[in-house]
Amino acid sequence: MKRMTVVFLAFLFVFAGFAFSKTYIVGTSADFPPFEYVQNGRYVGFDMDLIQAIGKVEGFQVEIRDMSFDSLIPALKSGIIDIAIAGMTITPDRLQVVDFSDPYWSADQDVIVKKNSDYNLAVLFGNNKVGVQTGTTGDLWVSDNLIKTGILKHIVRYESFIYALQALINGEVNAVVLDSPVAQRFAQTQPVSIVGVIITNENYGIAVNKGNKTLLDMINDGLAKVKASGQLSQLVDKYFGK
Ligand code: GLN
């Protein structure tokens, strides 16, 4: 074969690979550092890198759609997105409507208050106001264990943790309940402190619409490969390293 032909064929293969590789729309809620957040106008974080890495080994492209956390499952159900990755806990209720990949992270719920305030864990009792993000496991825990039982009078639900955090700093709520890894990150970067942990033993999974076995198998295969190659521990170092 002539050299020119070889070069031409090489280009054709690269182009065809790019042009025909499938693009999946990936929903997230980019208010959850270090899993997903916005930096210099880009969606970055552990989950963002993880789904890109899975796409790379499985041969698909990723297009990120940012939305409120409680819109993610409806968006999967209606086909607006193909995949959801958002530090999403695998729960029995969610498993009724979507399918989850193998777990890739674990978390509990932390209670945060404004830095240098006098609050302790008793902030979860009585007349205090506790902020949560709508539809999260933090919301569910506070609703089921504190509000329904009458232990706590007020829960304030926010569409985004950004608003919940602002409300806490402005003194509109006395505490916020949220996932421990994210609370720890906020405690390093914002004027807030952790005053307690609620052990909930949650596991994060990547969600697809119920019954989308082909995509789920691909994600699990990619996840296993990304783990085995050491890329996953590199991501852990990148986003959680000291
Ligand atoms: N892990 C929690 C949940 O699944 C919170 C996720 C989030 O706010 N991104 O409900």
Side-chain angles (χ1 to χ4, degrees):
M1 237 187 295
K2 286 223 183 78
R3 227 180 84 202
M4 280 305 279
T5 320
V6 173
V7 170
F8 175 74
L9 282 179
F11 267 118
L12 196 69
F13 276 124
V14 171
F15 177 76
F18 189 74
F20 297 120
S21 76
K22 176 135 182 71
T23 297
Y24 286 114
I25 311 292
V26 176
T28 196
S29 177
D31 60 352
F32 209 57
F35 293 96
E36 39 269 328
Y37 52 104
V38 180
Q39 195 171 61
N40 303 326
R42 286 184 53 236
Y43 299 117
V44 296
F46 181 89
D47 284 349
M48 302 294 93
D49 283 2
L50 177 59
I51 197 67
Q52 291 286 357
I54 292 173
K56 205 159 185 188
V57 293
E58 295 296 320
F60 63 82
Q61 313 271 326
V62 162
E63 192 181 312
I64 303 294
R65 288 280 155 83
D66 186 24
M67 56 187 74
S68 66
F69 183 78
D70 66 331
S71 303
L72 287 167
I73 290 183
L76 270 180
K77 301 294 323 161
S78 62
I80 293 173
I81 58 173
D82 304 299
I83 298 170
I85 186 163
M88 192 183 276
T89 304
I90 304 167
T91 69
D93 280 353
R94 290 175 184 159
L95 277 169
Q96 307 265 323
V97 285
V98 294
D99 287 333
F100 281 98
S101 71
D102 297 330
Y104 66 90
W105 203 266
S106 53
D108 293 302
Q109 294 293 311
D110 275 0
V111 183
I112 59 171
V113 299
K114 194 170 166 177
K115 201 171 189 155
N116 301 325
S117 67
D118 292 333
Y119 290 114
N120 54 31
L121 208 49
V123 73
L124 296 183
F125 294 79
N127 216 9
N128 288 311
K129 288 190 182 133
V130 175
V132 293
Q133 186 181 40
T134 310
T136 56
T137 43
D139 180 1
L140 289 179
W141 194 89
V142 173
S143 303
D144 287 350
N145 296 283
L146 304 180
I147 297 290
K148 280 184 193 156
T149 53
I151 291 173
L152 173 75
K153 291 238 176 65
H154 314 283
I155 183 169
V156 188
R157 296 188 176 86
Y158 295 92
E159 199 188 300
S160 157
F161 276 126
I162 309 285
Y163 303 139
L165 205 68
Q166 257 165 25
L168 182 64
I169 294 164
N170 295 341
E172 291 156 32
V173 291
N174 310 100
V176 169
V177 173
L178 79 168
D179 293 40
S180 44
V182 179
Q184 283 158 22
R185 181 52 48 100
F186 283 147
Q188 288 163 1
T189 58
Q190 306 285 330
V192 299
S193 325
I194 298 170
V195 290
V197 51
I198 303 154
I199 305 295
T200 50
N201 290 318
E202 298 176 40
N203 284 307
Y204 294 172
I206 302 168
V208 299
N209 202 358
K210 192 129 205 83
N212 194 348
K213 192 173 174 331
T214 320
L215 183 54
L216 190 65
D217 286 350
M218 216 195 288
I219 290 172
N220 276 332
D221 184 69
L223 186 59
K225 285 180 177 147
V226 165
K227 245 186 223 173
S229 69
Q231 256 178 297
L232 195 74
S233 36
Q234 279 169 15
L235 288 187
V236 175
D237 288 348
K238 178 172 171 190
Y239 289 103
F240 295 89
K242 296 273 162 317

